[in-house]
Amino acid sequence: MQEILDQIDLIQEHLDAVVVVDRAGVVCYVNHAAEVLFNRKAKELIGEEFGLPIMAGERTDIDILHANGQMISAEMRFFETEKNGEVTYTIVSLRDITERKRTEEWLRYQNERERLLGTIALKIQRELNLDQILAVAVEESRQLLQADRVLIYRFHPDWSGTFVVESAINRAIAVLGETIYDPCFNSERIAKYYHGAHSIVNDVETEPISECYKQLLIGFQIRANLVVSIGFGDRLWGLLVAHQCYEPRKWQQFEIESLQKIASHVSIAIQQAESFTRIQELNRNLEKQVAERTTQLEASLDELKRSLQKEKELHELKSQFVAMASHEFRTPLATIQVASDLLRHYSDRMSEEKKLSHFDKIQQEIRNMTALLEELLTIGKVESGRLPINPQEIQLERFCKNAIEEIRFMATEQHSLKFKKLCKQETCVTDTNLVHKILINLLSNAIKYSPMGGEIMLTIMQPSEQSDRLAFQVSDPGVGIAIADQAHIFEPFFRARNVGKIPGTGLGLAIAMASAELLGGTISVQSEVDAGTTFTFLLPVQL
């Protein structure tokens, strides 16, 4: 035993706790350090079973629970003493490593905290979607603090606010979407948050807080809370809040600092997200403006092209007019000149009948020139869009028959003018004057270009697939129009190559087509040389 005590003296120099256990596992000696470690007197320990497995040469860590509830960590080692080859006693050396354990735990926590903060910062920085940024912030904060609930509260202009994002341990304590107006949130508290202050409540039941604030916290199942501000510049955007809902909690300084760091990252991320959103909006506006401007420029360019084309067409029209006028006006003017000269110089030798014949020639040529001028004025008005439209109701059958009677004077005995109505529609509303001119033009052409006579038919029908339109068809057995010429017959001054000496200006069909388009209609042609022609004038029933 003395040898054992000598070893114990050596161990005590290092202030370790020592317990000697006999072969039966009963404590037979403890030193003062062991009394302190176990928080019990030697006499209380000696004679008791040691109660822990003894394995020589092993080292292990144990936790010792004191009667007052305090937990002590200790490192335990075993040394055996032998006599005659048998173990007589086991010396147990115990060293208090509670502080070391706390330090190690603190370091581990610090490392983990820094790692998590770095992870949080990286996740936040990588996100540009504000909702995702806030979701990451609250979820990672709750995991870091091991809190019951972490949420972000966003201020409204009147300093009320809404819980816009939340992470909670269970749905029973969820408050996402709740809007609060806190009467206790006055200008003084607002000013503190502006300057980065934080708010701590360790236990709502015992903290000296205002009654209205206490009731607000209780209403949201809050037993303890930690609040830090989210802001940038002179703007207080909101609050990052951690809640303990079921028990009090003493918030540690490092927890406050951790939440503040996260709030700082969130503030930066919000600025970036809002800047990105503004940039996107600016880009969208810029793209819209560019698109609108491009459309305007394209429209202006198209308008310019149309104007240039119109100018070109007008120039060509003027050239054609000059050429036509020099040709079409020369013959009647020559006739008028000859007739007037004869009357001037030889009227005294002429009979009254001869004089009247010359006067008739002069008047007829004047009428021809007037009609030509009227056509030129009409096509000018149509081309410039200055031709007025006056919708009126037309009695279709009477209107068509009147047009045939009006043109009958042009027909010879070999011509047969007929009308046929193949629809139930009795009336239509359109410009009477323009429709009249179109029909007269088509009918007069049918007679003029059928020099050998034949049946001239005006038919009115209603296409089954277009019940809101009427079709006026004028057909003749005349000289027809070559396929190559059909694409140009509605152009001003154009005349088919097979008309021979049949008189005409080439303006009638151009005027007819332009008039039809003003009425919302169109004119088409089907023709074969020496087999006749059919013009179809489509017109809306209601203008």
Side-chain angles (χ1 to χ4, degrees):
M1 187 68 177
Q2 185 59 46
E3 294 177 3
I4 296 172
L5 294 177
D6 290 341
Q7 293 182 37
I8 291 172
D9 290 339
L10 180 62
I11 296 173
Q12 289 195 79
E13 291 180 4
H14 297 86
L15 302 178
D16 285 345
V18 176
V19 177
V20 179
V21 181
D22 63 18
R23 292 194 317 180
V26 176
V27 176
C28 57
Y29 174 83
V30 295
N31 68 352
H32 178 69
E35 290 181 305
V36 174
L37 182 65
F38 286 101
N39 195 30
R40 295 174 69 185
K41 296 295 184 180
K43 62 182 180 180
E44 297 174 2
L45 295 169
I46 295 172
E48 289 188 354
E49 288 188 6
F50 184 61
L52 292 171
I54 298 174
M55 292 172 284
E58 292 291 329
R59 175 187 295 184
T60 186
D61 293 345
I62 64 170
D63 291 325
I64 302 170
L65 180 64
H66 288 179
N68 61 3
Q70 183 181 5
M71 187 70 74
I72 300 296
S73 297
E75 181 183 80
M76 184 170 64
R77 289 181 292 178
F78 303 93
F79 306 93
E80 292 180 343
T81 63
E82 295 182 3
K83 188 175 183 180
N84 299 325
E86 293 184 0
V87 175
T88 55
Y89 295 98
T90 301
I91 302 172
V92 183
S93 171
L94 300 107
R95 179 173 295 174
D96 188 344
I97 59 171
T98 303
E99 287 303 318
R100 191 185 80 189
K101 284 275 191 179
R102 287 175 181 169
T103 302
E104 289 174 351
E105 185 65 27
W106 167 253
L107 290 174
R108 279 196 298 272
Y109 181 82
Q110 281 289 85
N111 290 335
E112 181 65 10
R113 182 175 74 111
E114 292 303 320
R115 186 190 67 79
L116 288 174
L117 285 173
T119 301
I120 293 169
L122 185 60
K123 287 182 178 179
I124 290 173
Q125 289 167 7
R126 285 179 175 175
E127 282 292 340
L128 288 174
N129 180 281
L130 184 56
D131 292 338
Q132 189 61 32
I133 289 170
L134 302 183
V136 168
V138 296
E139 177 61 26
E140 297 295 340
S141 297
R142 190 181 66 78
Q143 295 290 344
L144 177 65
L145 299 177
Q146 292 298 294
D148 292 339
R149 179 173 62 202
V150 173
L151 42 80
I152 288 177
Y153 179 78
R154 183 171 185 178
F155 287 119
H156 298 157
D158 63 354
W159 296 114
S160 63
T162 301
F163 294 123
V164 294
V165 65
E166 172 188 63
S167 174
I169 58 172
N170 59 62
R171 298 187 54 149
I173 58 172
V175 294
L176 182 64
E178 293 281 351
T179 296
I180 300 173
Y181 181 77
D182 181 4
C184 302
F185 194 71
N186 52 34
S187 58
E188 182 179 349
R189 289 179 62 192
I190 292 171
K192 287 181 180 179
Y193 281 124
Y194 261 119
H195 294 92
H198 61 272
S199 172
I200 296 175
V201 174
N202 294 318
D203 187 350
V204 71
E205 299 294 341
T206 60
E207 292 278 338
I209 57 177
S210 65
E211 185 61 26
C212 65
Y213 187 41
K214 179 178 179 179
Q215 292 305 316
L216 178 66
L217 297 181
I218 292 173
F220 285 97
Q221 298 176 266
I222 301 168
R223 187 68 184 271
N225 78 335
L226 169 60
V227 183
V228 298
S229 62
I230 300 172
F232 32 87
D234 59 351
R235 180 182 175 191
L236 182 57
W237 187 92
L239 303 172
L240 178 58
V241 187
H243 289 157
Q244 210 66 32
C245 298
Y246 301 109
E247 58 188 4
R249 176 167 177 170
K250 182 171 176 57
W251 300 100
Q252 303 299 316
Q253 183 60 33
F254 68 85
E255 294 174 327
I256 299 169
E257 293 172 358
S258 297
L259 204 61
Q260 286 176 326
K261 284 184 179 180
I262 294 172
S264 177
H265 288 305
V266 170
S267 298
I268 294 170
I270 290 172
Q271 291 182 80
Q272 291 175 340
E274 290 184 347
S275 297
F276 181 70
T277 300
R278 285 195 295 271
I279 290 171
Q280 284 185 315
E281 184 63 29
L282 289 172
N283 284 337
R284 284 193 292 270
N285 290 336
L286 181 60
E287 289 172 358
K288 182 180 178 182
Q289 291 174 9
V290 169
E292 289 176 351
R293 185 58 180 157
T294 300
T295 301
Q296 292 173 358
L297 290 174
E298 289 175 348
S300 299
L301 183 59
D302 290 342
E303 183 63 29
L304 179 60
K305 287 180 180 178
R306 286 194 295 270
S307 298
L308 291 173
Q309 182 63 29
K310 193 73 173 177
E311 188 68 25
K312 181 180 178 181
E313 291 173 357
L314 288 174
H315 179 73
E316 292 175 351
L317 190 64
K318 289 177 182 178
S319 299
Q320 290 173 336
F321 170 72
V322 172
M324 184 275 300
S326 63
H327 178 269
E328 295 294 332
F329 283 103
R330 184 179 290 114
T331 299
L333 286 174
T335 302
I336 292 171
Q337 181 68 46
V338 169
S340 62
D341 285 345
L342 288 173
L343 288 170
R344 177 187 293 273
H345 298 292
Y346 303 106
S347 61
D348 57 334
R349 303 176 192 177
M350 295 180 186
S351 64
E352 289 300 318
E353 184 178 353
K354 191 68 173 177
K355 290 179 183 179
L356 288 174
S357 175
H358 286 303
F359 280 125
D360 287 341
K361 287 181 180 179
I362 291 171
Q363 290 179 348
Q364 181 60 43
E365 296 301 335
I366 289 173
R367 284 194 294 271
N368 291 338
M369 291 174 66
T370 300
L372 178 59
L373 287 172
E374 183 64 29
E375 286 185 340
L376 291 170
L377 289 172
T378 299
I379 197 167
K381 289 179 180 179
V382 171
E383 291 288 338
S384 63
R386 292 184 290 108
L387 193 66
I389 298 177
N390 300 304
Q392 294 179 352
E393 186 177 81
I394 294 177
Q395 297 293 327
L396 293 172
E397 185 170 351
R398 185 173 62 203
F399 184 81
C400 291
K401 287 181 177 179
N402 288 343
I404 288 175
E405 291 305 316
E406 184 178 338
I407 204 72
R408 191 178 293 279
F409 77 94
M410 289 184 61
T412 66
E413 293 181 357
Q414 287 76 34
H415 291 104
S416 173
L417 304 183
K418 294 185 177 181
F419 168 71
K420 185 163 54 177
K421 184 171 179 291
L422 301 178
C423 64
K424 295 181 180 180
Q425 186 73 28
E426 297 295 333
T427 63
C428 73
V429 176
T430 188
D431 187 294
T432 307
N433 185 48
L434 289 181
V435 174
H436 174 265
K437 286 183 177 180
I438 292 169
L439 290 182
I440 291 298
N441 178 270
L442 296 179
L443 288 168
S444 63
N445 281 350
I447 294 171
K448 184 165 60 173
Y449 294 109
S450 300
M452 304 303 295
E455 184 179 271
I456 307 299
M457 174 68 74
L458 171 59
T459 305
I460 183 169
M461 63 186 69
Q462 201 163 14
S464 58
E465 70 276 8
Q466 291 180 310
S467 60
D468 61 336
R469 287 180 173 266
L470 291 169
F472 297 85
Q473 279 190 347
V474 177
S475 57
D476 66 66
V479 298
I481 305 169
I483 293 177
D485 291 340
Q486 290 179 24
H488 304 285
I489 58 170
F490 295 108
E491 297 175 3
F493 303 109
F494 181 83
R495 302 199 73 206
R497 285 169 289 185
N498 64 333
V499 297
K501 294 183 179 181
I502 300 174
T505 63
L507 291 175
L509 285 177
I511 294 172
M513 176 60 88
S515 300
E517 289 175 346
L518 281 177
L519 298 175
T522 187
I523 301 174
S524 59
V525 62
Q526 288 181 316
S527 183
E528 185 178 344
V529 175
D530 296 329
T533 301
T534 298
F535 282 92
T536 302
F537 167 34
L538 282 176
L539 177 72
V541 172
Q542 181 75 35
L543 181 61

